[in-house]
Amino acid sequence: MDLRHVTSINDLDNDEIEQVFALADRYLDKLKDADHPHRIGESTDVAKGAILASLFYEPSTRTRLSFEAAMIRLGGKAIGSADPATSSAAKGESLADTVRVASNYADVLVIRHPRDGAAKLAAEYADVPIINGGDGAHEHPTQTLCDLFTLRRENKQLKNLNVAVSGDLKGSRTIHSFVYALARFGANIMLMPAKGMELPAHVDWRLRHEYRCGPLPKDRYDNAAMDALYVTAKQPHQLSLMASPPEFERNVRVKKGVDVVYVTRFQKERWTEQGQDYPKVDAKFLKARKYREARVLHPLPRVGELDASLDRDKRAVYFQQAAYGVPIRMALIALMLDLDGRNKWKKFADGFEKSSHVLFDQPKDAGIECINGNCIVHDKLERDYAKSRFHLIEAETPRLRCFYCERDIDSFVIANRKTRHYDTNLTARQWPDQKHARDFVLFKDTQQAEHVGYAKRQQAGRKAKAR
Ligand code: NCD
């Protein structure tokens, strides 16, 4: 049986996310601190004997402490290394080795790492479930669970909710997990990036093509600070709304106002340059009529972009959001480890759903590599463990998606290792299936293919290995 891991918010379907919320509600109900309704104040013993290990290679306050508190509140124990300098990483040990070792010490591992895709690599080597506590600029799925749960507790229905996301949309992993989830639950997403910190192109592509978000043309909405706005399709054909502005606007309800403002800090650790003109959310900003009913969220820490004078504003819910880290993570751990032992939760512990995309394993030191310089595959320590692996994403123009960091490549060539020919224009239907994937190698361009002796296939259009 494959183990169940949570490396991306997309590892959980909507139904499973609802299950996490239902259980978190239950924990809050039963174990809350009588004076503080957002806080878990008592413990249970469902996890008696179980151990959570946190392996944190990057600073953390909320994520690590709330995971450890969650396990302890469940009756289990928490162990971990919060400082890479005190673990064997300082001696040059690979993550792949560390998780194999730690799998023998704990029943679930939470990992935070500066490299995109690190949690996915850990999941390949661990013998126990892995939870991603933030991997580079890739994702932070459990933060998204806290975010959505906060909105739910504030009686905000996700469907059709107008959510503005502000700040460093490029470097913030919290944003990437959050916008995928918003799209999947049918919320409307308004992008308010700091200058030069727009949503990465591959995240934007996924919103449009995989979660059927439709963009609203820039001149159709009234806030000049917004960069773009997506509306998630209710029905598969809803993208046509893009061509029908009146209906679109009615649906977006921009006039109705913004329901949520999600603020993020400048992710200085992921940039070499300074952030300029960084947007600040303060009382003046929130004065605009459209924010009257908004809730203000922030994954924290804040470093100036969210004014402390808002803390007493009833629209500010970021401290509740941080408090919910405990019940949410209790619920997630309980479900992943099937602590309740109920059939109802079985689906959760029963295995990791395999991607339906064809997976290509590149031969060592040949062909295309992930284009994301911060991907875990480029970490010297992991050289022997992380190979170049790509999913084929079948779209009008097929693209490759790095198995680890999920960065897409939209231009490449595919070559047959047996015939020593390459092709640049195979349609998705002509692509090899999983059984034949190992007969092929991918190159970044024709020069790279020719450099190692591949020649262009003459009979364009002939099927490779048709499915
Ligand atoms: C976030 C993170 O680590 O990505 N922090 C958190 O877990 N609450 C946000 C941030 O550091 O800006």
Side-chain angles (χ1 to χ4, degrees):
M1 180 175 79
D2 286 323
L3 282 174
R4 189 64 191 258
H5 308 285
V6 177
T7 61
S8 156
I9 192 65
N10 299 318
D11 287 341
L12 301 172
D13 67 25
N14 288 13
D15 187 46
E16 289 165 336
I17 291 176
E18 292 290 355
Q19 289 180 49
V20 174
F21 293 164
L23 187 54
D25 274 337
R26 232 174 68 206
Y27 286 135
L28 264 178
D29 220 37
K30 283 193 170 159
L31 306 171
K32 71 165 170 279
D33 178 329
D35 299 324
H36 302 96
H38 318 295
R39 178 177 188 275
I40 294 284
E42 291 175 37
S43 302
T44 163
D45 61 358
V46 287
K48 192 160 181 272
I51 296 175
L52 171 133
S54 42
L55 302 173
F56 277 57
Y57 297 84
E58 252 192 1
S60 170
T61 303
R62 276 150 292 274
T63 305
R64 187 174 62 80
L65 292 184
S66 64
F67 259 115
E68 295 181 2
M71 189 49 145
I72 293 166
R73 291 294 192 197
L74 286 169
K77 294 252 184 323
I79 58 174
S81 88
D83 177 6
T86 64
S87 75
S88 281
K91 300 182 190 166
E93 183 173 54
S94 68
L95 180 64
D97 279 357
T98 305
V99 298
R100 271 182 289 193
V101 170
S103 290
N104 294 314
Y105 305 154
D107 303 295
V108 55
L109 308 180
V110 186
I111 290 176
R112 170 168 288 190
H113 198 281
R115 291 274 187 178
D116 303 18
K120 192 81 177 185
L121 176 73
E124 276 195 305
Y125 285 91
D127 293 322
V128 297
I130 294 289
I131 302 176
N132 182 4
D135 59 334
H138 175 231
E139 283 207 43
H140 192 345
T142 66
Q143 179 62 50
T144 294
L145 294 176
C146 301
D147 304 338
L148 300 186
F149 186 67
T150 306
L151 296 177
R152 238 185 55 138
R153 299 281 294 189
E154 291 288 311
N155 290 322
K156 298 278 189 191
Q157 280 279 336
L158 293 173
K159 204 170 179 95
N160 280 327
L161 204 67
N162 290 336
V163 184
V165 290
S166 152
D168 185 356
L169 309 188
K170 185 166 186 200
S172 294
R173 52 195 175 202
T174 60
I175 289 286
H176 306 153
S177 300
F178 188 51
V179 292
Y180 291 143
L182 288 175
R184 285 172 38 193
F185 279 97
N188 305 321
I189 307 164
M190 304 174 196
L191 305 177
M192 296 168 67
K195 196 158 160 264
M197 299 181 194
E198 291 78 17
L199 212 54
H202 63 283
V203 177
D204 181 285
W205 190 91
R206 280 183 83 172
L207 288 177
R208 292 165 197 263
H209 293 88
E210 293 178 15
Y211 304 116
R212 303 197 63 80
C213 284
L216 185 68
K218 208 176 171 66
D219 59 347
R220 299 303 310 178
Y221 51 90
D222 54 357
N223 188 339
M226 285 180 197
D227 185 57
L229 190 149
Y230 301 93
V231 173
T232 313
K234 276 206 295 247
Q235 276 99 37
H237 62 267
Q238 200 179 337
L239 280 179
S240 62
L241 274 179
M242 286 162 60
S244 171
E247 191 191 347
F248 186 89
E249 271 185 10
R250 223 180 16 254
N251 188 284
V252 173
R253 295 178 298 143
V254 167
K255 298 281 180 283
K256 184 201 129 222
V258 175
D259 300 293
V260 180
V261 182
Y262 191 98
V263 191
T264 57
R265 74 176 166 97
F266 172 54
Q267 304 283 305
K268 65 174 171 27
E269 61 273 48
R270 311 200 198 290
W271 292 88
T272 43
E273 62 267 43
Q274 289 291 314
Q276 275 167 11
D277 302 327
Y278 203 82
K280 181 162 179 156
V281 173
D282 54 16
K284 186 163 161 250
F285 174 94
L286 287 181
K287 248 198 178 108
R289 211 178 131 77
K290 60 175 170 279
Y291 297 120
R292 209 165 47 187
E293 294 300 319
R295 291 293 176 277
V296 181
L297 275 76
H298 193 307
L300 301 177
R302 62 178 159 188
V303 289
E305 68 289 336
L306 177 64
D307 204 273
S309 69
L310 289 176
D311 295 357
R312 281 182 303 276
D313 189 309
K314 71 167 184 12
R315 293 169 293 182
V317 292
Y318 31 87
F319 287 116
Q320 286 96 303
Q321 181 189 359
Y324 291 142
V326 176
I328 277 293
R329 289 175 172 120
M330 286 171 77
L332 185 67
I333 295 167
L335 291 167
M336 287 182 79
L337 298 185
D338 195 19
L339 296 178
D340 277 24
R342 302 178 182 198
N343 277 342
K344 196 164 133 201
W345 305 120
K346 269 283 185 224
K347 182 175 174 222
F348 223 94
D350 239 13
F352 191 62
E353 208 176 312
K354 285 242 162 57
S355 164
S356 56
H357 302 301
V358 175
L359 181 65
F360 290 92
D361 277 325
Q362 291 284 92
K364 202 135 195 73
D365 301 323
I368 203 164
E369 289 186 339
C370 180
I371 54 170
N372 172 8
N374 195 48
C375 178
I376 191 75
V377 295
H378 300 306
D379 190 324
K380 284 195 186 67
L381 288 181
E382 313 304 328
R383 183 180 283 144
D384 293 338
Y385 309 100
K387 44 188 171 192
S388 285
R389 314 185 80 185
F390 296 95
H391 278 298
L392 167 70
I393 308 301
E394 295 183 9
E396 206 173 315
T397 313
R399 44 179 49 212
L400 299 177
R401 179 166 300 156
C402 173
F403 173 80
Y404 300 100
C405 76
E406 303 192 285
R407 180 75 63 90
D408 289 355
I409 299 175
D410 53 14
S411 166
F412 54 94
V413 300
I414 177 166
N416 189 313
R417 294 161 85 175
K418 289 183 179 155
T419 65
R420 306 289 291 176
H421 284 129
Y422 69 79
D423 248 299
T424 50
N425 58 355
L426 287 184
T427 65
R429 300 195 55 211
Q430 294 171 305
W431 279 80
D433 58 21
Q434 189 64 65
K435 243 186 21 232
H436 297 99
R438 76 170 78 91
D439 299 340
F440 291 83
V441 57
L442 304 160
F443 293 101
K444 73 176 161 98
D445 50 30
T446 54
Q447 285 98 309
Q448 195 186 44
E450 285 169 12
H451 185 72
V452 287
Y454 285 82
K456 187 167 173 56
R457 196 165 61 134
Q458 293 309 318
Q459 284 172 281
R462 218 191 67 205
K463 289 190 174 178
K465 280 267 198 299
R467 291 153 199 242

